[in-house]
Amino acid sequence: MKYTTRQSAILLLSDGTIFHGKSIGISGTTFGEVCFNTGMTGYQEIFTDPSYFGQIMVATNAHIGNYGVNEKEIESDSIKISGLVCKNFSFNYSREDATQSLEDYFIKENLICISDVDTRALVSYIRDNGAMNAVICTDGSSVEELKVALANVPDMKGLELASKVSTKTPYFYGEENATYKISALDLGIKTNILRNLAKRDCYIKVFPFDSSYEEMASFNPNGYFLSNGPGDPEPLSSAIQVAKDILANDKPLFGICLGHQVIGLANGISTYKMFNGHRGINHPVKNLISGKGEITSQNHGFAVNKEELERNPDLEITHVHLNDGTVAGMQMVNKNCFSVQYHPEASPGPHDSSYLFDQFIANINK
């Protein structure tokens, strides 16, 4: 194998801490909130998940790129992370049905990446000090220049990002003659959510993030869905109003992640930014209704307020995160509405949580 020299690169955190590494080859700088994902596989799904928009991803798996990329398995139309930090980047891949190498995919998508970083030390630092803004630099810019630029990057708290990843115009997914029609609000929807709904005989019309209830209702759907997505849920006033209108009209409603938080806000439950958030494919959740445990895929930096939720007579907690006791799911007592703070479509269990889509269909049939 030919040896090539790679450009030195740095990761600068907003508190001034610097981690050194090597550039994968794309020159430049990229900014975002640095966070980490503990999944040992699924890097392609992570990189294309719209919920990660505006974030620099630290991969805890020591090897990234070793099975290449299969473009049929992406979660959106492009890479959504701002940049990647990893330990060992594999320029070669061994997966037979891969369509290209991860390096070629990054070049095509113009993603800046730094490898050869001590990711164990970096993750430990983030766990102790919290998620914060950072910059990856692979073009040799001075640290002082980077510090000035980084100081102007807005914090994730209060940042509305759904508009950056949502569809601009409505579109359809599934078979037109399916049994059920679903109006989905795209706050950063993952393709596999649409696949799971279509698999259950649904025809989905996907609406832009700022669509009104009247626009979504014009499809005459059997049920409504609020998707996952990036950023702080509190600025999403339009989506919160849509949730209120759906509930006021007593229609079946299902929300995932950001959609779950929007439903909470529509019911007067506040949300807060977590110290680190949950990002990985091995998060343990307990279903309080069935008593069963689930291994779940999670990706969120905000959560609904558990104490407020417990005091609200219209809501009940259905799922809890077993690591920290945070709310992982809820349902309304007198409305046909439920939501979860994790990703049942990601199937890390592998199918522990897929029943939630069946539950949505059952709610429609009530």
Side-chain angles (χ1 to χ4, degrees), residues 254-276:
F254 178 27
I256 287 178
C257 281
L258 186 58
H260 160 84
Q261 296 159 17
V262 166
I263 290 172
L265 289 165
N267 280 281
I269 308 298
S270 67
T271 58
Y272 63 94
K273 188 177 187 299
M274 305 172 76
F275 190 63
N276 276 312

Side-chain angles (χ1 to χ4, degrees), residues 6-27:
R6 290 192 287 131
Q7 175 73 30
S8 295
I10 65 168
L11 172 72
L12 171 66
L13 306 185
S14 59
D15 66 359
T17 305
I18 297 175
F19 288 83
H20 296 271
K22 298 289 186 180
S23 170
I24 293 304
I26 298 172
S27 181

Side-chain angles (χ1 to χ4, degrees), residues 140-355:
S141 298
S142 72
V143 172
E144 293 308 314
E145 287 178 308
L146 295 173
K147 285 183 178 179
V148 172
L150 185 56
N152 293 319
V153 177
D155 290 333
M156 191 63 73
K157 175 64 177 174
L159 198 58
E160 185 278 299
L161 293 177
S163 60
K164 307 294 184 183
V165 295
S166 178
T167 182
K168 304 304 180 189
T169 56
Y171 66 92
F172 297 92
Y173 191 97
E175 295 295 329
E176 186 174 358
N177 297 320
T179 303
Y180 309 101
K181 294 167 66 176
I182 307 296
S183 284
L185 191 65
D186 179 13
L187 305 176
I189 198 165
K190 292 173 66 178
T191 303
N192 210 30
I193 290 175
L194 297 174
R195 292 191 192 107
N196 271 274
L197 290 171
K199 190 189 302 182
R200 288 163 175 81
D201 205 17
C202 294
Y203 184 49
I204 309 105
K205 186 172 184 179
V206 184
F207 290 84
F209 83 104
D210 56 352
S211 299
S212 67
Y213 170 73
E214 289 73 23
E215 289 171 318
M216 296 181 70
S218 66
F219 185 50
N220 194 27
N222 302 102
Y224 293 81
F225 176 76
L226 304 183
S227 84
N228 62 292
D232 190 335
E234 288 192 2
L236 295 173
S237 56
S238 175
I240 294 168
Q241 185 60 51
V242 164
K244 289 180 178 179
D245 291 341
I246 294 170
L247 296 174
N249 285 275
D250 206 20
K251 302 296 184 181
L253 176 60
F254 178 27
I256 287 178
C257 281
L258 186 58
H260 160 84
Q261 296 159 17
V262 166
I263 290 172
L265 289 165
N267 280 281
I269 308 298
S270 67
T271 58
Y272 63 94
K273 188 177 187 299
M274 305 172 76
F275 190 63
N276 276 312
H278 295 154
R279 298 175 182 90
I281 58 175
N282 57 351
H283 286 255
V285 162
K286 183 176 181 179
N287 182 325
L288 300 180
I289 307 299
S290 68
K292 293 182 179 180
E294 303 172 28
I295 299 301
T296 69
S297 173
Q298 302 207 6
N299 169 21
H300 61 103
F302 291 82
V304 298
N305 187 298
K306 186 177 184 181
E307 290 72 24
E308 293 178 16
L309 183 52
E310 290 173 329
R311 294 195 299 266
N312 191 313
D314 296 328
L315 293 160
E316 65 177 346
I317 299 173
T318 57
H319 300 74
V320 293
H321 196 294
L322 292 177
N323 285 349
D324 58 11
T326 53
V327 177
M330 63 185 181
Q331 65 183 11
M332 296 195 68
V333 176
N334 298 316
K335 295 285 185 179
N336 197 341
C337 170
F338 74 106
S339 60
V340 291
Q341 185 62 86
Y342 54 96
H343 285 273
E345 83 289 342
S347 304
H351 303 298
D352 296 14
S353 306
S354 60
Y355 70 90

Side-chain angles (χ1 to χ4, degrees), residues 5 30 66 90 124-125 179 219 224 331 353:
T5 302
T30 186
N66 48 309
S90 179
S124 178
Y125 191 86
T179 303
F219 185 50
Y224 293 81
Q331 65 183 11
S353 306

